[in-house]
Amino acid sequence: MAIEDIHEFVSELEKKGELKRVKTQVDTDLEIAEILRREMYSNGPAILFENVKGFDMPVLGNAFGSMKRLEIGLEMTDFTEIGKRIADMTKMDMPSGILNKIKKLPELSKMTASFPKAETSGPVTEITSSNASFDDLPILKSWQNDAGRFITLGLVATKHPETGVRNLGVYRMQIIDKTHASMHWQKHKRGAHHGDISKDRGEKIPVAIIIGGEPATIFSSIAPVPEGLDKYLFAGITRKEGIKTVKCKTIDLDVPANAEIVLEGYVDPADIRDEGPFGDHTGYYTPVEPYPTFTLTGIMRRKDPIYVTTVVGKPILEDAYIGKVIERSFLPLIQMFHPEVVDFSMPAAGWFQGFAIISIKKRYPGQANKVMMGLWGMGQLSLTKMFVVVDEDINVHDINDVIWAITTRADAARDTTIINNTPTDTLDPASPLVNLGSKMGIDATQKTREEGYEREIQQPVKVDAKTKSLVDAKWSDYGL
């Protein structure tokens, strides 16, 4: 059975020695965040703070701060399985004839099992109230110069105002007062797109902020899934079992029934306020900028909820591991559109949106540039600032191997591509304008005569088979 909620996840982490409980009283103002950062930077465990000053609710942090914990939460070791499941669904042929339909039943059954299941109630509906306040939650202030307290791992639920397709995204929220918070959904994000459609229609958009839930649902909220794919369905595909949902009480939205807390409300596109500064995952404070305001209208929660949070800052912190799972899980989808791609890496130090390395099986001149241009046209990859393309013999996860390829197979003038006036990540501290900057691509593949390389192609240095066999056979005799 898939892990159903945060309580089960905590139990599994504890069984496997991946969680520690802190019983000493701790403060939501800076203290918890600094403890979590120290543990994250030192590859420490998940932490459950059981004695939070001023609150009777425990705080869980660093829950996804290692590949092992993500393997436990998502119940798999090969994360490319997620992308393969989506790719397989898109390739499924519609069967004709009774016999063929019967043969397809197991595949169709697997697909159906991933769909969300509507329930009339669930753990998150144990306590409901229209008299809600942000002050009842142990929301953290993470850095000294942050503008205040921020919800950092709230799953922001919206639905497309025209199609009804549901979305989950993780957008930070700065607490303004008891019932108002800034919604930092960046221009390129799907939640912001839903908000813009509502704005054009002269409407406020219903929004729910989900704390906790199935680990697969939390992962799904962060994953940049293909446009039009329902995030609740994606959560079911990830865990191979559909999640349970319930209706909110004060707004028309479905939310995970196994969540810890659901904050109901709406975003008014006409209510724009200053948000920030905030110490972000680039390692810099993002400056004050205008964002729309979320108004809290109600709350649903468990009787014994756990407040799930994260902290960000200069890499490498918890978000790096989630990013690595996203990288692995979406490789099969990249390969579906670009079959020549062998592997793909987004190093955590480049905060994922800044830098990516792609290896390809090169067959014709200019193919590296073709892949770069194609990837810059794919969803969130359009915001990636720098691409390096290498040959299939290079390990994209070994930065030394990549540097060797760049310095021995790329010429600075010939193999560097600069594209100006392109979309950039809102958080990019180097772009000359917010949301607009440039791209750089480096073709670090071996050049051919068809690409104008007139020199003799030098052969890589490799040990010969005879010498290798000799040394292999005598290795134990060397006393090394």
Side-chain angles (χ1 to χ4, degrees):
M1 294 288 290
I3 292 176
E4 291 292 332
D5 59 22
I6 287 298
H7 292 261
E8 280 191 22
F9 187 39
V10 165
S11 178
E12 287 299 313
L13 291 179
E14 198 158 29
K15 285 178 189 175
K16 293 177 170 63
E18 288 289 319
L19 179 138
K20 288 188 177 179
R21 295 174 183 263
V22 172
K23 300 184 183 299
T24 302
Q25 188 178 83
V26 291
D27 201 319
T28 57
D29 185 21
L30 301 177
E31 183 181 4
I32 291 178
E34 175 60 9
I35 295 168
L36 288 173
R37 282 192 296 269
R38 291 189 186 191
E39 287 300 300
M40 289 176 188
Y41 282 130
S42 62
N43 300 313
I47 303 177
L48 187 66
F49 298 97
E50 297 183 317
N51 185 0
V52 182
K53 182 180 178 181
F55 299 93
D56 59 1
M57 191 182 301
V59 172
L60 176 65
N62 202 25
F64 303 98
S66 73
M67 297 308 291
K68 182 177 180 180
R69 292 200 281 283
L70 281 157
E71 289 173 0
I72 294 168
L74 300 179
E75 298 173 284
M76 65 179 75
T77 55
D78 181 6
F79 298 111
T80 61
E81 282 184 30
I82 299 169
K84 287 175 184 174
R85 290 171 200 161
I86 298 174
D88 288 345
M89 286 182 177
T90 65
K91 297 172 185 175
M92 188 179 291
D93 297 324
M94 292 306 294
S96 60
I98 289 291
L99 185 59
N100 287 330
K101 287 178 180 177
I102 290 172
K103 289 178 179 177
K104 281 284 184 181
L105 281 176
E107 292 179 56
L108 294 171
S109 177
K110 286 180 184 177
M111 184 185 294
T112 304
S114 298
F115 280 85
K117 301 167 180 64
E119 305 283 344
T120 56
S121 64
V124 79
T125 63
E126 289 174 346
I127 297 175
T128 63
S129 174
S130 58
N131 184 26
S133 171
F134 288 120
D135 291 346
D136 295 333
L137 303 178
I139 300 168
L140 307 189
K141 180 177 180 180
S142 297
W143 296 98
Q144 183 178 6
N145 293 334
D146 282 356
R149 298 179 298 143
F150 285 80
I151 297 175
T152 53
L153 199 53
L155 320 184
V156 179
T158 57
K159 64 180 178 181
H160 194 291
E162 295 168 352
T163 67
V165 173
R166 294 169 293 196
N167 185 61
L168 292 173
V170 174
Y171 319 121
R172 74 180 190 235
M173 297 176 64
Q174 178 186 329
I175 305 306
I176 299 170
D177 56 36
K178 290 183 178 181
T179 58
H180 295 93
S182 296
M183 179 63 72
H184 190 273
W185 50 29
Q186 299 157 35
K187 202 67 181 170
H188 312 103
K189 306 298 184 181
R190 209 158 292 166
H193 178 53
H194 293 176
D196 285 344
I197 295 172
S198 295
K199 181 180 180 180
D200 292 341
R201 293 158 61 132
E203 300 171 350
K204 299 171 184 176
I205 183 168
V207 176
I209 316 303
I210 300 149
I211 305 296
E214 305 86 355
T217 303
I218 296 172
F219 167 72
S220 299
S221 69
I222 301 169
V225 307
E227 182 67 44
L229 178 58
D230 188 297
K231 281 289 189 89
Y232 292 174
L233 172 57
F234 182 75
I237 293 170
T238 299
R239 67 200 296 267
K240 295 193 285 189
E241 183 180 334
I243 69 167
K244 298 173 183 176
T245 64
V246 292
K247 288 283 187 186
C248 288
K249 303 301 182 184
T250 65
I251 54 173
D252 182 23
L253 282 179
D254 303 317
V255 291
N258 291 332
E260 300 296 303
I261 303 162
V262 172
L263 302 167
E264 303 176 10
Y266 60 85
V267 168
D268 183 353
D271 186 359
I272 304 295
R273 311 191 196 188
D274 284 343
E275 191 266 4
F278 175 74
D280 221 318
H281 71 278
T282 58
Y284 294 91
Y285 283 100
T286 48
V288 176
E289 291 178 329
Y291 277 91
T293 302
F294 171 84
T295 298
L296 182 63
T297 60
I299 187 170
M300 300 193 298
R301 50 163 282 191
R302 292 169 178 253
K303 293 177 181 176
D304 59 344
I306 295 172
Y307 182 78
V308 188
T309 191
T310 190
V311 296
V312 292
K314 184 179 178 180
I316 297 172
L317 293 170
E318 181 180 13
D319 57 328
Y321 300 97
I322 299 171
K324 181 57 68 173
V325 175
I326 291 171
E327 169 204 289
R328 294 292 86 203
S329 61
F330 282 86
L331 175 61
L333 296 178
I334 290 172
Q335 291 170 326
M336 187 168 72
F337 291 100
H338 302 281
E340 62 267 66
V341 170
V342 175
D343 207 351
F344 180 77
S345 174
M346 301 184 84
W351 43 277
F352 290 95
Q353 208 69 77
F355 184 63
I357 307 157
I358 309 103
S359 61
I360 64 170
K361 187 175 181 64
K362 184 174 173 179
R363 297 187 298 107
Y364 54 82
Q367 194 167 5
N369 285 333
K370 174 261 185 187
V371 170
M372 284 186 236
M373 301 306 166
L375 293 180
W376 273 322
M378 286 183 67
Q380 290 296 307
L381 285 173
S382 67
L383 304 179
T384 306
K385 184 158 57 173
M386 302 176 189
F387 282 150
V388 174
V389 181
V390 296
D391 291 297
E392 61 181 319
D393 65 324
I394 300 299
N395 180 1
V396 297
H397 306 287
D398 180 350
I399 197 65
N400 290 322
D401 210 20
V402 173
I403 292 171
W404 177 73
I406 293 171
T407 55
T408 61
R409 300 182 187 181
D411 176 77
R414 180 193 62 209
D415 298 320
T416 303
T417 299
I418 303 291
I419 306 174
N420 292 312
N421 298 316
T422 61
T424 60
D425 191 299
T426 303
L427 304 179
D428 184 354
S431 62
L433 298 171
V434 176
N435 295 321
L436 190 69
S438 60
K439 301 275 188 278
M440 181 172 74
I442 298 175
D443 176 359
T445 61
Q446 177 61 58
K447 302 307 171 298
T448 62
R449 294 196 181 279
E450 292 85 355
E451 293 172 303
Y453 187 74
E454 298 297 336
R455 294 177 58 187
E456 177 185 349
I457 296 176
Q458 298 178 22
Q459 297 303 308
V461 175
K462 292 182 180 179
V463 65
D464 65 278
K466 184 177 179 181
T467 303
K468 183 179 184 304
S469 296
L470 171 69
V471 174
D472 284 347
K474 295 178 64 176
W475 189 257
S476 60
D477 298 336
Y478 300 143
L480 299 175

